[in-house]
Amino acid sequence: GARVFGAWLNHDDSRGVNSLDMLETTNGRTWIKHYMFDFGSILGSGTIFAQRHRSGNEYIFEQKPGWLSMVTLGLYVRPWMTIDYPDVPPSVGRLEADRFDPLTWKPEYPNPAFANMRPDDAFWAARIVSKFSDEAIRSIVEKARYSDRAATDFVTKTIIERRNKVVAAWINQVCPVADVALSADGSLTFTNAAVDAMAATPPERYSLNWFRFDNATDQRTPVGGAMTVSSGSA
C-alpha cells in the first residue's frame, strides 16, 4: 500500500534504502515493525529546491523515453514536459493535481514492493487516505506555518484533489464491503468503504451468499440460497 501513499503525496524517493524492517520484542511479544524515512523529496520538494518536472511521471532512467529522445534528436516530447505547473509562492514545491494520475505515477526508481502491490493492498491504503477529511488536511498543512496564506491554500487544495483521485482509483478495485460483523443473535452488519469515501453511489441492493468453510481442506460449501438486502445489515 505504500505506493498509494507515495502517489498521493508525491513521495518520489520511496525506495528500499529509505525503508527498514526491524524485529522488535516487548514483554515477550515479537513482531516486525516497518519504518520509512528520508522525506526530503515529497510534496514537490527537491530538498533544497523545487523538484524537477519529471518527478512522479518517469523514472530517473527509462529506456523507451531515452531511446525515443535519441532517435528523434530530442524532438520527442515526453508527456510530463507539457504539464503546466501553477504559479505558486516560492515556498511551495513543484506539485499539481490536474494532470496527476495515481495509476501511472512513478517514484524516482522502480520499487518491487510497488510492482507487487495487490488490489487488496491498494484498497487498504486508499481507505486510510479517504479518512483524511478536508478539515484535517487543512489543519495539517497549517502546521507548516507558511508566511504566505496563498501557499497554505494551494497545498491544501492540491492535497485534497490528489486524495480524491487516489481514492477513486483504488478503493473500487475490489469489493468495497468492509467491517463485516456477525453478532451473537445472527445479525450481520457491514459498511461500504467506497460509498463512505464518496467514491461510489449507494447500491440499490446487496446480494449475500453463505458458505460453510473447512479450514482443514480449504473448501467451502454453499449454505442456503442468496439473500438480498438494501443496507448494511441483515
Side-chain angles (χ1 to χ4, degrees):
R3 181 173 185 266
V4 174
F5 303 125
W8 177 31
L9 302 175
N10 202 36
H11 185 203
D12 58 73
D13 204 20
S14 302
R15 49 183 173 143
V17 296
N18 288 337
S19 62
L20 187 68
D21 287 352
M22 297 293 292
L23 188 65
E24 302 196 2
T25 302
T26 301
N27 298 326
R29 187 169 65 92
T30 302
W31 70 95
I32 294 177
K33 192 169 186 178
H34 305 283
Y35 291 90
M36 293 184 67
F37 46 88
D38 190 352
F39 294 96
S41 186
I42 193 171
L43 288 173
S45 168
T47 305
I48 58 175
F49 48 79
Q51 186 54 281
R52 301 180 186 279
H53 296 73
R54 173 192 45 76
S55 172
N57 301 290
E58 185 181 295
Y59 296 132
I60 284 182
F61 173 74
E62 282 195 43
Q63 291 193 26
K64 183 177 179 180
W67 281 109
L68 286 172
S69 293
M70 185 177 72
V71 299
T72 62
L73 302 179
L75 296 178
Y76 169 66
V77 178
R78 288 163 154 94
W80 52 264
M81 292 181 176
T82 64
I83 295 177
D84 184 17
Y85 283 89
D87 184 15
V88 297
S91 55
V92 177
R94 189 163 282 116
L95 186 70
E96 62 86 38
D98 291 342
R99 291 276 297 276
F100 166 61
D101 181 354
L103 299 178
T104 60
W105 177 87
K106 295 180 179 179
E108 295 282 72
Y109 310 92
N111 188 325
F114 290 3
N116 292 325
M117 182 179 73
R118 302 177 309 195
D120 53 325
D121 296 327
F123 171 80
W124 169 81
R127 195 177 181 204
I128 292 176
V129 172
S130 74
K131 300 295 184 180
F132 285 84
S133 66
D134 294 1
E135 295 75 19
I137 290 173
R138 173 164 286 278
S139 295
I140 293 170
V141 173
E142 286 178 345
K143 291 292 184 180
R145 298 183 180 180
Y146 287 106
S147 58
D148 189 335
R149 187 67 182 181
T152 301
D153 293 341
F154 174 80
V155 173
T156 299
K157 174 178 176 291
T158 304
I159 292 177
I160 288 172
E161 291 176 354
R162 290 175 72 100
R163 176 206 62 196
N164 294 342
K165 285 191 172 185
V166 161
V167 173
W170 278 305
I171 207 166
N172 282 302
Q173 289 192 0
V174 298
C175 177
V177 169
D179 303 324
V180 179
L182 186 63
S183 65
D185 64 1
S187 298
L188 176 72
T189 58
F190 58 89
T191 61
N192 187 318
V195 172
D196 291 346
M198 294 184 290
T201 56
E204 293 182 359
R205 58 186 177 276
Y206 297 87
S207 180
L208 310 178
N209 292 275
W210 295 89
F211 298 86
R212 181 180 293 109
F213 184 73
D214 189 327
N215 288 313
T217 63
D218 197 28
Q219 298 292 318
R220 62 179 186 174
T221 306
V223 176
M227 296 175 54
T228 300
V229 296
S230 58
S231 63
S233 62

